[in-house]
Amino acid sequence: MCNSSNHGVVYKGPGQVAVESIAFPELALGKRKCNHGVILKVLTTNICGSDQHMVRGRTTAPAGLVLGHEITGVILEKGDDVEFLNVGDIVSVPFNIACGRCRNCKSGMTGICLNVNPARPGAAYGYVDMGGWVGGQSEYVMVPYADFNLLKFPDSDQAMEKIRDLTLLSDIFPTGFHGCVTAGVGPGSTVYIAGAGPVGLAAAVSAQLLGAACVIVGDMIEERLEQARSFGCETIDLREDGDMEDKLEVILGEREVDCFVDCVGFEAHGCGCGGHQKEAPAAVLNSAMQITRAGGQIGIPGLYVTDDPGATDEAARVGALSMRFGLGWAKSHSFHTGQCPVMKYHRSLMQAILFDKVNIAKAVNVQLITLDQAPQGYADFDGGAAKKFVIDPHGSVAA
């Protein structure tokens, strides 16, 4: 099997990705056997906004990195210590790599596992500073700690029928849901979602699933706002002048929301509401404190980095942002940051998909592409396309 061919999406430098021949995965970690791992034939693997930060040159990602942390596949081979999964099982791979053995994993904090990244807590496939793991925008990939990490779909035929929805369990659906949970979204809540990219749209669907009374999505791209409106969200075009409180009052009759979810992150821009659409990495965080009610919660699944080579100033380069934190303190806000612990949510969200309680693929506008089309998918996504690009490397889904 080690002589089989494999191809993957490789980061070549700022603005450049290419599909290249890469090594076929082995059940090994360095020089030792990885008996707890599996090799997957990748069924679907998605392009994420987090990947886009790297491809834009906004991280310290090295050229040659195989990209991709949103993976769904079928088990091709398994290690001797894998007890509860079998060859042929279709599984969702959480983007967090977690050992299942450390203090954090045992507490459910799988996004900050202590054993899978020598540099810092937390690891992911194909991502900068996340342990050096090979990414899964490829034909085949190795997944460690398989019994702990993988979510097996109960019926393979049903899984293939709903694969466009189920592929989103590896990251953006749990991430959007986590943003809403940490923002305190519940029945009757009013919610503002900053950003109508795929994670923002997934958060909007999640807020509806959690019982929100009104979900408002803000963005600067009309096509993405139209996508949010397609499943019942209110929208705010951030290119238009005017105070955010005035815009909220038109929709809600109130000038604040109960819950705020930041799905933009560090590449935020100042909006037309008093800004000039220039990059302003703290813009969303400051807006959150401004328009969230006293005692409200702010979920921050949007990515913030510790090293940004393309930052607008030296402070922002190391993640030091100019936040009006005193306002948040005065309003007794709570802030929740960090990677989503996917395993906390993915089984429940799988059930919501399988029992037709949610149509997440339609909400985020899944667009199926081939592996060879991945570079164009990156370019279109960078241009603001209101689509979630899902790579079908073997043509399994198209078939």
Side-chain angles (χ1 to χ4, degrees):
M1 189 171 290
C2 62
N3 295 321
S4 299
S5 66
N6 191 19
H7 294 84
V9 180
V10 179
Y11 172 63
K12 306 296 288 182
Q16 300 177 50
V17 296
V19 178
E20 296 183 349
S21 179
I22 62 173
F24 193 87
E26 298 180 6
L27 290 175
L29 294 174
K31 295 182 179 180
R32 63 188 176 92
K33 186 77 171 172
C34 181
N35 290 315
H36 49 70
V38 299
I39 293 174
L40 296 183
K41 177 183 178 180
V42 177
L43 293 176
T44 55
T45 176
N46 318 327
I47 297 175
C48 181
S50 299
D51 298 321
Q52 203 72 61
H53 293 305
M54 290 187 290
V55 173
R56 288 185 187 125
R58 297 301 298 269
T59 72
T60 56
L65 178 69
V66 180
L67 299 169
H69 56 270
E70 300 189 8
I71 309 162
T72 305
V74 59
I75 297 176
L76 201 63
E77 180 183 352
K78 68 174 191 172
D80 293 339
D81 291 345
V82 178
E83 296 185 62
F84 308 114
L85 296 165
N86 294 300
V87 171
D89 288 345
I90 297 179
V91 294
S92 178
V93 184
F95 78 88
N96 324 108
I97 302 171
C99 73
R101 297 153 167 82
C102 71
R103 174 181 180 178
N104 286 349
C105 283
K106 289 180 179 181
S107 299
M109 296 184 288
T110 54
I112 43 174
C113 174
L114 300 174
N115 289 330
V116 288
N117 183 353
R120 69 184 203 198
Y125 304 90
Y127 206 83
V128 60
D129 296 332
M130 285 291 177
W133 297 86
V134 176
Q137 284 174 13
S138 57
E139 295 172 296
Y140 303 92
V141 69
M142 196 279 280
V143 173
Y145 306 104
D147 276 331
F148 181 68
N149 282 286
L150 297 180
L151 174 66
K152 175 186 171 181
F153 299 137
D155 182 272
S156 294
D157 291 338
Q158 183 188 36
M160 290 308 296
E161 288 173 8
K162 292 183 174 288
I163 194 69
R164 289 171 174 81
D165 297 277
L166 294 172
T167 188
L168 305 174
L169 292 173
S170 57
D171 183 353
I172 68 163
F173 194 10
T175 292
F177 195 85
H178 178 64
C180 290
V181 168
T182 55
V185 178
S189 300
T190 59
V191 186
Y192 181 83
I193 309 287
V199 171
L201 295 171
V205 170
S206 299
Q208 293 174 339
L209 194 60
L210 287 163
C214 183
V215 180
I216 305 168
V217 180
D219 203 283
M220 298 182 182
I221 299 174
E222 174 55 31
E223 186 183 4
R224 290 182 168 182
L225 293 174
E226 184 177 342
Q227 186 64 28
R229 289 192 291 271
S230 74
F231 57 94
C233 297
E234 301 287 343
T235 60
I236 292 177
D237 188 336
L238 299 175
R239 297 168 299 178
E240 296 177 356
D241 289 329
D243 292 332
M244 282 293 290
E245 292 94 335
D246 292 339
K247 295 174 183 291
L248 291 178
E249 190 168 22
V250 170
I251 297 169
L252 299 174
E254 298 180 346
R255 299 176 66 79
E256 293 178 317
V257 292
D258 299 320
C259 315
F260 189 109
V261 186
D262 173 7
C263 297
V264 177
F266 74 106
E267 286 194 67
H269 286 65
C271 63
C273 314
H276 303 285
Q277 297 186 31
K278 294 180 179 178
E279 188 160 298
V284 175
L285 299 173
N286 285 322
S287 179
M289 292 181 281
Q290 176 186 346
I291 67 170
T292 303
R293 67 172 178 84
Q297 296 173 217
I298 299 167
I300 310 173
L303 177 68
Y304 289 85
V305 295
T306 56
D307 194 346
D308 173 9
T312 54
D313 58 62
E314 287 304 309
R317 182 187 173 98
V318 295
L321 308 183
S322 182
M323 288 174 60
R324 194 183 172 193
F325 193 71
L327 177 60
W329 191 94
K331 295 176 76 172
S332 293
H333 286 155
S334 62
F335 300 79
H336 196 107
T337 66
Q339 291 184 35
C340 166
V342 170
M343 277 191 280
K344 184 174 182 179
Y345 307 105
H346 67 174
R347 182 174 295 277
S348 297
L349 296 178
M350 175 189 74
Q351 293 290 80
I353 290 169
L354 295 180
F355 285 92
D356 297 319
K357 299 300 181 186
V358 65
N359 191 337
I360 183 69
K362 184 177 180 181
V364 304
N365 197 17
V366 161
Q367 177 74 44
L368 211 64
I369 61 174
T370 67
L371 188 62
D372 287 338
Q373 291 172 324
Q376 186 60 51
Y378 269 95
D380 292 347
F381 190 32
D382 192 48
K387 298 175 181 178
K388 175 66 173 177
F389 291 101
V390 172
I391 301 169
D392 178 10
H394 295 278
S396 307
V397 181

